[in-house]
Amino acid sequence: VELKAALEAEAGKLPSEQAKDFLARPVTKDSDIYKFAEKKALEGSGREEIVRAVKNEYKDISTNRAKAIARSETNRAFSSSQFEADKQFIKQNGLEKRAYKKWVTRSDRPCPICLELASRPPIPFDSNFADLGDELSVTYQEDNKTKVLKQKFNYEALKAGNAHTNCSCIYQLVIEPEA
């Protein structure tokens, strides 16, 4: 209902023929596009294949946006696969009580959210860095100004890296030594 009202308000700012055309377009949520790209990545499609598939399925999306989504979803598919493999390794070796994970940035310019996550100590392996619905807020300095960056995790729980579009962060498996 809120989305429909917002679209009608935007359409009201356009000349009548453009407004009809605007309202006739299908509404696509970002999460739909990401789920589509994630499915392609999990099927084994490479980045360029995913870019083509996204652009073919969602005609109005730019090439740069399609590339960002493909990059993000192939990274997410890799991280998720690694997480599942590590989970299996931990269980097979009875390491549940000693297994932790640590957020690791791989970018030379990580965002403030990822820097904050990387500054935290390791967490139990089966815990999430952020749960679905959580909002992380980071205060940081940039250009001699104090800024606040907030990120809500409304797509999925953050369990294995890839906190946002174009994120290349991963987690590092940490096994504590036996006491």
Side-chain angles (χ1 to χ4, degrees):
V1 177
E2 290 176 28
L3 180 59
K4 183 177 180 190
L7 287 173
E8 288 172 351
E10 283 301 308
K13 298 174 187 173
L14 301 171
S16 65
E17 283 305 308
Q18 285 180 338
K20 286 179 192 171
D21 184 50
F22 179 82
L23 289 171
R25 287 188 296 175
V27 175
T28 303
K29 297 184 302 189
D30 277 352
S31 62
D32 294 338
I33 298 170
Y34 278 92
K35 285 178 184 168
F36 177 81
E38 178 185 37
K39 180 178 179 273
K40 292 292 183 188
L42 292 172
E43 290 171 353
S45 298
R47 283 188 186 170
E48 291 305 315
E49 291 173 284
I50 296 170
V51 169
R52 282 192 299 276
V54 166
K55 287 198 51 68
N56 188 48
E57 184 74 15
Y58 301 95
K59 305 288 187 213
D60 292 340
I61 198 166
S62 72
T63 300
N64 285 341
R65 181 79 173 134
K67 285 180 180 180
I69 291 168
R71 183 172 36 255
S72 298
E73 291 310 313
T74 53
N75 286 343
R76 186 182 317 281
F78 174 81
S79 294
S80 294
S81 297
Q82 185 63 53
F83 179 83
E84 292 302 320
D86 286 345
K87 189 163 77 172
Q88 187 177 38
F89 168 79
I90 290 164
K91 184 175 181 182
Q92 286 175 345
N93 291 286
L95 300 169
E96 293 87 350
K97 291 185 177 19
R98 298 178 22 223
Y100 293 83
K101 59 187 174 185
K102 171 99 174 98
W103 191 266
V104 178
T105 63
R106 295 188 307 166
S107 167
D108 58 344
R109 293 180 48 216
C111 76
I113 295 286
C114 290
L115 285 173
E116 164 62 24
L117 289 167
S119 74
R120 296 178 180 179
I123 62 173
F125 186 81
D126 59 353
S127 296
N128 294 324
F129 292 104
D131 291 321
L132 186 62
D134 283 356
E135 181 176 88
L136 294 182
S137 180
V138 177
T139 303
Y140 65 101
Q141 295 290 317
E142 183 177 271
D143 300 327
N144 293 322
K145 294 179 183 173
T146 300
K147 296 185 177 187
V148 176
L149 178 62
K150 293 181 181 183
Q151 179 164 342
K152 185 159 182 144
F153 293 91
N154 54 11
Y155 178 66
E156 67 181 8
L158 186 57
K159 65 179 180 178
N162 306 101
H164 52 79
T165 304
N166 285 327
C167 183
S168 60
C169 294
I170 58 172
Y171 72 92
Q172 178 181 17
L173 177 61
V174 177
I175 305 292
E176 283 193 339
E178 288 186 81

